[in-house]
Every structure is written in structure tokens, then in C-alpha cells.
Amino acid sequence: MAEKKKVLVIGGGFSGLTAAVETAEAGFDAVIVEKTPFLGGRVTQLNKYFPKLCPPNCGLEINFKRIKNNTDIAFHTLAEVESISGQEGNYNVTIKLNPRFINDKCVGCNACTEVCPVQMPNEFNFGMDNTKAAYITHNQAFPFKYVIDGKHCKGKSCAKCVEACKYDAINLDMKPETVNLNVGAVVLATGWDLYDVTKLDNLGAGKIKNVITNMQMERLASPNGPTSGKILRPSDGKEAKNIAFVQCAGSRDENHLPYCSYICCMASLKQATYLREQYPDSKVRIFYIDIRTPGRYEQFYWKVKEDPNVTLTKGKVAKITEDASTGDVEVTVEDVLAGRKITEKYDMVVLAAGMVPSTKASRIPGEISYTHDGFVVPSYLKKGMFAVGTLKSPVDVAKSVQDATGVAIKTIQSARRSG
Amino acid sequence: MAEATVIKPDLDFVKGVIASGGESLKKCYQCATCSVVCNVTPDNNPFPRKEMVWAQWGLSDKFKGNPDVWLCHQCNDCTAYCPRGAKPGEVLGAIRKQSIQQYSVPGFMSGLVNSKIFFPIIFLIPALILLAVSGFSSIPEGEIKFIKLFSVEAIQFTFTPALIFGFAIGILGLMKFWKDMKQTGGVTSGNLTGSIVETAKEFLGHSRFKDCTVSRDRFLSHFLVVYGFVFLGIATAIGVLYIDFMHVESPFSLGHPVKLFGNIGAIALLLGVLLMIANRFKNAAKVGKGSYFDWLLIFIIFTIAVSGILAEVTRLADKAVLAYPIYFVHLVFVFSLFIYLPYSKLAHIFYRATAICFAKYSGREKPLKTSN
Amino acid sequence: MEKKFGVYICKGCGIGEAVDIEKLRKRAALKGKVSADIIKEHQVLCSPEGLEFLKNDIKEGTNTLIIGACSPRVKTNEFDFPGTITERVNLREFVAWTQEPMSSDAQSLADDYMVMGIIKAQKGDLPEPNILPDLSKTILVIGGGISGITSALEAADAGYQVVLVEKEAALGGWGAKLYKQIPREYPYEKLEEPIVFSKIKEVESNPNIKIYKSATIEKTDGQPGLLDVTIKTNGTSETIRVGAVVMAAGWKPYDASKLEHLGYGKPNVITNVQMEEMAKKGKITRPSDGKEAKKVAFIQCAGSRDPNHLPYCSSFCCATSLKQAKYVREKNSDAMAMIFYKDIRTPGQTELFYKTMQNDPGVLLTKAEVTGISDGGNGNLYVEADNTLLGEKIKVEADLVVLATGIVPATRAPQEYLDGLTEAGKKGDVAKKEYLDNTPKPEFILNLAYKQGPEIPSLEGAYGFADSGFICFQYETRRTGIYAAGCVKQPMTIADATEDAAGAALKAIQCVEHVAKGIAVHPRAWDITFPDPLMIKCTSCKRCTEECPFSAIEEDEKGTPFYKINRCRRCGTCMGACPERIVSFKDFSVDLVGSMIKSIEVDEDEFRIIVLACENDAYPALDSAAIKRIKLNPKVRIIPVRCLGSMNLVWVTDAFSKGIDGMMLLGCKYGENYQCHFIKGSELANYRFSKVKETLDKLQLESDRCQLVQVAISEYDKLPQMIEDFVARVEEIGPNPFKEL
């Protein structure tokens, strides 16, 4: 057999990791290209998975271990694909490696963060707190190597970190580099972004402090989040004990996202458990159009519904206002089954915001066509190119894993065809 | 436990609503965004969400004596926010059309008037009537005086019965409607006179339109059209007084109070109708471009306004060849407006007023909200 | 391999400032019984210079390295020296970052860790893979429905031989009974022709796929790579050897005869399956009189989402009824299709399909709780429903009612039967016999000739679905090399099933490739070690055969256990279970850990607590706490284990008889939502732990001295305090009296 062609996986989130690891464990070489400084993607920002309520870092730890123990997997972080040309068996890919300003000598001691004078909004926590320009997102991040944000860092004029680093790990002169790869197959796994809820002008996001997104809720509940896991509302840090969840915030709405985002029903039910577990006297009300808990997820729905402090009401919230004096949030909805319009006050409101394929905003170069909503249609892809997970349609982690494992066999077939 | 209500879905009703400008009807998936963003709906049993599902199921009975479809002012806030493009505003418009058809006597007339197929015919008939009244006259000679074409008596004897017909049929319809509302709505308490006064006040102030968000500008256009007609009506009435009792001969001089009233009314009407057209185009993307039913009325009003003004202008410019035919067209459309009053969209003046009044009378609606 | 030791202490990352390296060297040499000369220190071992320093020693023959530096979770590339035994001692996270620098506590902690590392390296050995001969790489696919066909085609396309076994006389399964199919791709607007037919052609013409129709599996024996499968076709049996299995046995519609309350049994009440058949034949008619149906009512969740029937959602029925509503409308434009739903569930982009199907004058939908179906005369029916969008209580006439029945996985009947058998067995032999005599035996799928039963064991709360218990790892079953695909696993649409089936085929391929190299499969998919028992000492107590979560250990005629090594996942549960302590891996054994425990310095005035930490979750959690610089109690000594299931009770005896004051066992969550990567490991540890009391009683020690805690990787913020509390409890009890002995 000729030399085995590598498989390029664009995106190091859970789908991409799975595709790469599964490909490699079947005996083929995989290279992951990840845009951010760390692997793991969206799931690293989650507190728990539904319906098991288990921590995402548990599965990530195993997958990172699989990567550490497998010489057939390579990865680049802070890497962007600039061009893809060629065909199955012979794709030429140009990758731009953005500078991390910290090299492999980094031991993860935190000295650079300690001395860094620059505060910047913490994107990992959706801007709910600040971080230093020299940082690591969280203590289970992989690779466990710090990064300096080039946009915020004051550069050589400051260089306090360079002085503080005992391991010669910081190089503020680092420049972008270009890597050229020749691969046999390409897996597109660039994942999803949260819908920009400020576009929902009637729901107050961005204007009303105590209206947050479901992803912000994940960060609030996470032990490695901005409040160390305490669910406190942004306006005054008060314990948020009475929360409304607004389902389909952007989803199933042709003015925004015409499709259903799949995960939001389960996510809100799950987040209801965060609150109920944290504050025994807390109350949750979920406003929905249809509760979508397919398969055995139904059981999770029943379990949450059983809690007398959790109410589910059919009706889409279409108006949210703020009580400026208290910071409370007023929600107006029609309780469809009762046929009544109600307005209620809550400590905080969580918008179950939808999923947007990352390719809606940033296309992957290389003859790929997209739907109006930015999704990739598998059958339109060139031979030797495959899309996984949320790039094709909104799905949860479980389905992404099934899909990414399924795509791994396609990469093997592709390698076999061209090998 | 309560007995189950037997539901009888009627596919033809569904198709009827769809054909009447409610083509988006079936897109609704009952999220109730519409009921929430609607600023004119009562909190208890709000519309238009429930009307949407009733119409989807073809439950025509539910629309018998239903005041809610008339409480809707088609602000189209619902349509703008509807996540499915179901355009509840348009659908309710279509249902109102169905409702007019249901209550106007004879019922088929409304169908004829609002059918595209009969578009030229519905104007041809009044034209023929008026031609007959004019004695198939050719264009008169000399100084342009429209009474040369139609004597004051001729006008009075054709237009007064037309107007009375229009109103009579309309009132007949509204009485049926009132009865149905009382039957289905169940009056709890109420002060009828007070409700009528409140309704009149509301109408005069156009206060409900101010609750619209997306198409707030409709307030002005509707206001102008309504008061345009009011001024024109007053001008006509006073004119009749002058002619009949003070024996002043038409045309009135430009400085005459009757002319003044009339011209202000005409300009208001024209401006109003132009604004309506402009708004329809401006908001088309958000709320839909409207149905034939809507456009027919706009077309009639527009033609009345334009032909009225042009008739006056050409008369003053002494262009007889133009002035008389234009005046004729003007009369044809005014006549049409009158006789089709209970069948066209204009019938909403009966039903909407009745519905609002009933809503107040029955306690369905709280006393008028103060806008702001 | 003759070991040449090298012990290295890194002084970076604060280690040099936290402990006296000189003292540490002396202590390590003394207690670890190595020459002080081989214990070297370096400023920064992971730096290029440090690595050069290590590589030079390796060049000069050092092959067993004990590196006292950072956690083994980091710098894995740097400290990867193939062909050596490299033992990482976590001085940074567990000492330098979590202890008072230069305290005697920190010093003794570092001493103990270093010594344990040396002992581990001394006791351990370089592993070599165990590769069995005559391995097959053929993939067996059970089930010729859309999932099975897809798995077969995918595996064949990847270059593997495939055997496809279908119970029915023809391939295609339910997918072949469809009139039309729900669209799978954007814009999700048009019904598709069933895809299964072209796939059947492909599979039947593929030279690498051998098909058995009207066939069942009579017996599956052996282990991955060496599975001998007996296939019964038309009365004749044939045994073939395969490497791994995809189980795509599919589903059955829920038994509609149980849905009498929804009118099933009345002539004009049919199921969605019957609707497909009817649509395929032509017009939609009423069974009672053959008249064309004009008012068709679809009752969603007929059996599904119902605690009395199927407590889960069957996932595809909403889209299916929308599709069938289209049939009704396409075949007769005057007909109405009325859909009564609990929630419309068209997740993801299927929403676009809902939107399109809904936009039809004759498709009527309402949320409703259907309370019954009554007769309306002339064969017509009344659908009675509460809480609808049309009113609180309504009745609607229909001339045909379609029940959107859900799915029951083919695995359910055998699993329930076997679960019943187990239950009966617990009550004694009489009850068991009675059960066997009186319970009709359902059709089995795998018929495994395995110690722990003929089918894949039930997953708690899964209602017979052969699902994975993990979110992140969708192809886990408790039978290595057997991967479930399609609706046998979860209710899914054809689009989802084809993706899933491809994934299952890949896992099967990985399995045959891994066993060919002697490597374990997930979750230790790099591990070439394997359990190697010292059989001479085996007493045939069979604890290992019963406890192995994967049924990897069989018994011969005499009842002596033996390994089917390719079924083994290397969790070490057998090692933990064995009372004779005879099971060992090259780098992990009862003796190895026991020796580490025994090496811990026990001072009369000091409390010493041992923490056995699951290396998958608890250990990373402790590491993560250290990264946050959360102080760890200095009296605690942490020893990682492969899985808490590998915990052998003798370690408890070892520890306490040596004078250790307390022992904390950190494992993953067990029970229905288990997080144990070996499924049963932590649960078995807990079972064994229940016997710890006996052990402690024997030693006349308080049972509170030992505690098992379920901890998740995310609980790093709480874990140090949990340890703190435990230490306080032990201190309250007082020192272990054995200390003085």
C-alpha cells in the first residue's frame, strides 16, 4: 500500500475531535485545525450535558487522552484554513497559524497572567467578566498552554510577562506562519455560534441586564465560570431564584432562524435543574411552542416537569421589559391553553437562543456551497470532503458523535480510494 | 364535566379565507406571538391566535358574532413579528371579508363586488344607471356647469336612495351581527348608551390606531381619509341646503364656505389615500401588500378623490371635453361607493363600530386604554 | 528487559522552592532502595536542555525513568520515550502547588510520592501486546434494514469483508414498506422515494458482502477477531468466523392491540404502518367499506410518551404523520387530514418540512390530549379530545383514524425476558424453573455463548434500547466488538439511522484492527497491557467471571476461569475482584499498588490517609484543583487506579495493618446515570466496599475510616474540601492503633 494520506479535520470541537480520533484509531493519520487557542469547542463552555447531567470535561479528558496517546493525531490551534484546492486524495491546504506569543516551553504556571496589566472582556464567559490578555480559558483547557491575545496585549512596550516567565516561553515577536498540507480528505467540523439575540428587538437582550442567553446561563452555572457556579443575576449579583426560560429565541422564526435548533428544549430543562438544585426555594417557568425532547429524552422532560416548582406553559414570549427600579424583568406571553395573556415578573430571564452554523458568518474556503441559512449540504460537497455535526443541521452532542464517527468511515473509504 | 363541543371543519371555508387574501393562513403554528404583540387585543381571550386556528380548521361558526375580528385594526404588528409568515393581520382581513359577506344582504352581492372577475362590471352598472339618468346626454355647450349634465334633482334622486340603500343594508347587517354577538358573546352587564358614546369618541379620536407599532403611520392616512369624507359630506349637506332652501346655484364660488369645506375635504381625502398606498408599499415586506378586497376600496376612494379634484380643476380651466367625462367618472365612483357600502371593505364602518361598541357593552374590553 | 533506573527531579514550577531536593534525593534513595547516584536533578526537565539531559541518559542505557515533575496529564509529548518505562511522579500539582513550601508536610509528601514512583517502576514491566492468531477482520451485520444495509455497504467500501444476516426473506426492513420517505436534505420540501431500494441493489451486487436471508443467528461464540457465528437458514446451519459485529436488528411497531382506548380494533382505525401499505397500493380508503377516506384523523403519540405504554418519544412519528397527511391530500384534494398532537416534534431542519407540509388547506393541526375514539355511525368515528387549541373538550368526526404508533426495539423482548430470568433466579431455583416453564421465550438476536448471558445486557432506564450509556461515546456496549446501530439503539429517522450505521461500522473496523495489533478498544484504545493471571493460585471462585463488566472471562468445564482477552477492556475489575490477588497487568497489579501503599512512611504522630483516585475523572479533578492552587490536605497520599473497579480489598488491609489512618476511594458516579467509563467499575467497587466493614471489623477498626465517594471531574472545586472533611472525621476517630505495632 502506498503512503497513507492524512485526513484534515477543520474544527477541534467535539465533532471534529471525534472525527479525528475515530479516524486515527482506525489506523489513519488525522490533523486537526482549530481556530481558537484550545481544543474542545463549545462543549467546554457547558456546565453539564443533558440528560445525564454529566460534565463535558469528562468525555473531553478521555478524548484528550486518546490524542495524547496516539501519534497518528496532530493538531494546530489558532489555525485558520486559508485555501483548499485539489481533489479527493490530493487536497492542498494552506493554513495560517496565528501567533500564540507563547511557545511550547510554557509550563502553565500562571506567572504571565499574574503580571499582565491588561484586562479584556472574557469571551469564554460571553463577556460576563474580564480576563487578562495573557490567559488560559479554564483549568482543564487543552493544550494546557497559555496564550496572549494579540489584539489587547500592549506588546513590547509592556513585556511584563516576558520578564515574569522563568521558562523563556514568551515571544512577543511571534508572527503568523503558513503551513501547507497535502491531505487525502477533508472533514468540515467548524461547529456553531449562538444566534445574536440582540436582533430580537422585542426580547430585550443586550438592553435589559437580567436577560441572558442560555449559553451565558451555562457559564453562570459552571464551577469554572464567572461566578464560580453561583447563579447570580448580572445587574446586581443577587441570587436569581425566579427565572423564566424563553424557548425559540430566534429559532423556528423565519425572521431569524427558520429551523429548530434541536438542543434548546433539553438545554432549558437541564438549566432548570441547575437552578432547582442550587436554590431549594427557586422557581422556574418555561415558555414554549412545542417541547421537543425526542427519544428517551422524554424521560428527562418528565422528571423535570414533576418538580412542583417548575412550570411549563405553552406560549411564545414576545415581549420583555425591564422594571428599572428593581432590575426585575417583565415577560408577556399568551398562555395558549388557558387563552389568556399574562405578564409576570422574574429575577432573570434566559433566552433559549438558537444555533447558527459557523459557516453562516465565516465560509470555509474551497468550492463549498451553503444553504440560505449557512448549512452545508453533504451531497453537494466534492468527493473527499465531508461535513459533520452542527454544520449540517442543528444537533446535540450525542448525534454529533454518531455523525462524526460515521464520517470517520467515509474518510477511510476516501483514503482507500486514493491510497 | 362539560359536554364536548362537536367541531365541524369546513374545507371550503378554509379555501375561502385563503382565496380572500389569507393565503398565509396555514402557515400558523400557534406560538401566540401575535396575541402578545397586539396592542389592541384584550388580555382575556386575546386575538388573533385563536382566530388563526379556527380559520385553519374552517370553523366558520366561530366567526359568527365574533367581535374580535373587528376589534383588529390591522396594525399588522402581529404580521411583522409572526415567526412563520402567517400574516395574521392579512388573514383577519380576509376573515372580515368573509364576515361582511355573511352579514350583508343579499350575501352573494359581497362576493360579486369583491371578486376580481367582476372588476369592470361593478362600475359599468352604475355608469349605465347614471348615463340613463343623464339621458345619455352629450357634452353640454357653454360655461361648464355640472348641473347641465345632472340636475340637482337628478343627483338627489339617484344618490340619496343609493346612500340610504347602502346604510340600510349595512344597518341590517350590523343588527344581525349584534344579535349573533349577544348570542355567542353573552352579555354580562353594560351600559349601551355609554358604550356608544365611548365608541364614537374613540372613532373621532382614532385612538386605537395609535396603539399600532409597525404601521403607526396608518393613523394619519386613515384619519385624513375619514375626515376628508366627513368634510365632503358636510360640504355636500350644506350645499344641498344652500341649493334647496337658499336657492344658490351651483357651482359655488371658490371662496364660498361650502367650496372651502369641500376642497379641504378633497385634499385630505387625496392625501390620505395616497398615504395609504404609500404605506402599503413601504410595509409590504413586513406585513404584506394587501388583498384585492383592500385594494378595491383604495381604488374607489382614490378615483373619487382624483376625479373630484380633476373635475373641479378642468372645470375652472374651462376644458369641457375633459371636465364632463371626469365629472361623470367621479359620480360613477361615488355612486358605487354608496351602493357597495355594505358589501365592500367600507362595510367595516358598520361592523367595526358595532364590534367595538359590543366589546365595551359586554365588558369584553376594558374601558378605552389611554394611548401613551 | 533488564532495567536500568534513572530518577529525575525537576526543580521548576516551584518544586525547587517547595521541597528540599537534597533531602528528597536521600530519602528516595534510601526508601526506594536505589543508589543516590542515579537520582538527578534539573532546573527545568521539560525544557529542551532538560529533555536533552534525559535523552542522553537513555542513550547511555537508562530504560526505566522515574520523573518527579509535573502531572502525567501534561507534557506528555515531551516525556514520551518509546521503549522505556517512564513513571511520572506528580510533585508539581500535588506538592509544589498545593502545599506550604518547605514545610515538613510538603517534604514528607514529596518523599512518599517519589518512593511510590520508584516502587511502581521497579514492580512494573514493559508491556508487549497479546496478539491472538487466526484473526478475522470480517464484519458481521445483523439486520438487513436501512441501518444494517448501510453498515454493510460502508464497511465493504472501506475494504472489509461483510456478512449480512437478515431475518426476513427480503432485505429492506421497514424502509422498504414505505410509500414515500421524509426528505433528508435541504430544502426539506418534497417527499422522497424510499432510498432503501437502490441500497438493496448495491448491497446485493457488492462482491465483498455475503448475504444470508431468512436467517437468524443461532450462536455467537468466541471473542472479537475470533467470533464464531452460527447462522441458521431454512433449517441448515453454518458457522463462520467474523471479527466484529454491527447489531442493527431494528424495531417493531408498538403493538396496536394494546391501544384499544384509541379505537384500535374498530375497522376504520389503522396504524401508520398500515397507512404506508395503503398509500403504496393506491387510494386512501376505509377498510370497512372501501370508500375513499375524506376526513382522516392522525392521532400522534399513540402509545408513545405514555407511561402506560412507551414512556419515550418515538422521534419520527410527527414527521411521518405530516408526510402521510400529504398522501391524503395528494390523492384527493377534497380530503382533510387532521393531526392531533401533544407537541409537534420536527427537530433541527425537519422544521422546514413541517412548515411545508403544514401549508396546505386540507392539513389541520391541533395540540390535543386525545381521550378516546367513539363510533359516529356508518363506520365513521369521533375523535374526542381535551385541552385542544379549538376548545377545552371537542369531538371531531373522521372517517378514518390513523394511530401514529411508535417503535419498540428488537432488543427489548430478549432483554426483558433475560432480566425476568435474573430476577427469578434471585428468588431461587424453583422460581427460576417456573419462569422458564411459563414464560414464552422471545427471539434472541445474538445468542452469545458468553458466561454473562446471550444478549447485550439491559441499560438501566433504556426500555430495551441497546443504547450507549455515554453522551460522548455513542458506541459503547457491554459486549466488546458488538456495536448497535439504528433504531435498536434509539428511535431515529432514516437520515439519522444511516449516519449512525456508518459510525457503528467504523467502530467494528476499529475493533478488528485493534485486536490485530493487540491493543484494547475504547476507552483505553492505546493500551497494549492485558490481565495476566497466575492461574496456579486460582481457586475458581468465579468472582472475576461474574464481575467483569464485559463478560470477558469464561469458565471451562471444570469451572476454571479463562480470559477471552479480546473482549477485555483493561479496566482491572477482575484484578479488584480476585480474592487471591492473582491478576496482574505489566504496569498495574495488586502487588504493585500494595507495595506502593506499604512504602508510605507512617509516623506515629501523623495522620496518613490514602486516596485511591480513578485516573479518568477523580485524578484529573485533583489536578485541576491544584492548578487553581486549592490547598490539598498534606496528610493525604493520592494513588491513581485505572478504574475504581480495580480496587482490591487487600489494599485496604495492607493500608490499615500498616497504620494508615484512613482511606478514601474516589470513583465515578454509578447507577442509572453512571459516569464510570467501564460502566460497572465504580458500582462494583462500591459493592466490594460494602465488605470493607467486615475487613475493618476484623482489624477492630472503625468502618468510618474508609469512605467511597462518587466524584465528577467537574467537582474539583469541592473535592479538596471533601478530602478535608474526611481527614477531619478520621482525626476525630483518632490514630490507627496499628501504628504502634
Side-chain angles (χ1 to χ4, degrees), chain B residues 119 122-123 126-127 130 159 296-297 299-305 307 326-340:
Chain B
F119 175 71
I122 58 164
F123 299 112
L130 288 178
F159 282 75
L296 182 67
L297 181 60
F299 173 70
I300 294 175
I301 296 174
F302 177 77
T303 315
I304 289 173
S307 62
I326 290 173
Y327 177 62
F328 181 76
V329 169
H330 180 66
L331 289 189
V332 167
F333 275 82
V334 173
F335 190 80
S336 303
L337 186 78
F338 287 179
I339 57 167
Y340 300 142

Side-chain angles (χ1 to χ4, degrees), chain A residues 127-394:
Chain A
M128 289 190 290
D129 63 353
N130 282 337
T131 180
K132 297 285 189 67
Y135 70 101
I136 195 157
T137 47
H138 63 103
N139 56 347
Q140 287 165 343
F142 180 78
F144 194 67
K145 200 161 85 175
Y146 280 60
V147 57
I148 291 173
D149 184 282
K151 263 188 253 139
H152 290 87
C153 171
K154 290 198 260 178
K156 294 183 90 173
S157 65
C158 167
K160 286 202 170 75
C161 53
V162 180
E163 221 171 284
C165 181
K166 290 185 196 158
Y167 306 96
D168 189 24
I170 300 176
N171 175 6
L172 297 177
D173 285 332
M174 238 181 235
K175 295 279 177 291
E177 284 171 44
T178 304
V179 176
N180 292 307
L181 283 179
N182 184 268
V183 298
V186 179
V187 177
L188 315 173
T190 55
W192 60 281
D193 297 317
L194 196 67
Y195 186 62
D196 176 6
V197 286
T198 59
K199 289 181 183 162
L200 301 157
D201 60 7
N202 54 334
L203 299 184
K207 284 175 285 184
I208 303 172
K209 275 189 180 156
N210 294 329
V211 173
I212 64 168
T213 66
N214 42 4
M215 281 304 283
Q216 286 177 317
M217 182 65 170
E218 289 295 331
R219 298 310 303 142
L220 281 183
S222 291
N224 57 21
T227 53
S228 302
K230 289 287 278 178
I231 301 170
L232 307 173
R233 65 182 197 176
S235 74
D236 50 11
K238 198 181 106 177
E239 290 180 349
K241 289 188 171 179
N242 186 16
I243 294 188
F245 287 88
V246 175
Q247 297 309 110
C248 296
S251 304
R252 302 182 69 187
D253 186 337
E254 56 180 41
N255 304 315
H256 302 280
L257 309 172
Y259 47 85
C260 156
S261 292
Y262 196 107
I263 56 155
C264 327
C265 282
M266 281 298 281
S268 292
L269 290 165
K270 172 188 73 172
Q271 293 179 354
T273 68
Y274 297 170
L275 190 74
R276 295 292 302 120
E277 198 181 307
Q278 203 163 106
Y279 309 122
D281 55 342
S282 57
K283 279 198 175 120
V284 172
R285 191 159 184 180
I286 301 174
F287 295 102
Y288 66 92
I289 306 172
D290 293 287
I291 287 289
R292 293 188 165 171
T293 50
R296 287 198 291 118
Y297 289 163
E298 182 73 5
Q299 279 298 303
F300 185 74
Y301 168 35
W302 289 8
K303 212 170 74 192
V304 177
K305 204 168 58 169
E306 243 171 44
D307 182 338
N309 283 12
V310 176
T311 320
L312 289 115
T313 304
K314 180 171 166 70
K316 187 176 172 179
V317 172
K319 195 168 142 193
I320 297 179
T321 53
E322 185 179 27
D323 179 342
S325 60
T326 57
D328 291 349
V329 188
E330 239 176 31
V331 164
T332 308
V333 67
E334 184 194 348
D335 177 343
V336 168
L337 290 178
R340 251 194 358 244
K341 210 160 144 173
I342 47 176
T343 301
E344 276 186 357
K345 255 188 200 175
Y346 296 93
D347 294 342
M348 188 164 84
V349 166
V350 179
L351 302 181
M355 264 186 191
V356 184
S358 65
T359 39
K360 173 84 181 173
S362 51
R363 304 293 206 212
I364 303 167
E367 300 170 61
I368 299 160
S369 49
Y370 301 90
T371 71
H372 175 262
D373 304 313
F375 290 108
V376 175
V377 183
S379 62
Y380 293 176
L381 287 170
K382 283 172 72 175
K383 263 201 153 181
M385 272 203 194
F386 310 97
V388 286
T390 52
L391 214 49
K392 290 194 295 195
S393 198

Side-chain angles (χ1 to χ4, degrees), chain B residues 5 7 26 28 57 84, chain C residues 351 358 360 363 365 393 395:
Chain B
T5 321
I7 300 284
K26 299 298 286 193
C28 168
W57 278 71
R84 262 303 212 243
Chain C
E351 181 70 11
Q358 184 194 9
D360 178 321
V363 176
L365 293 123
K393 258 175 107 64
K395 254 172 120 170

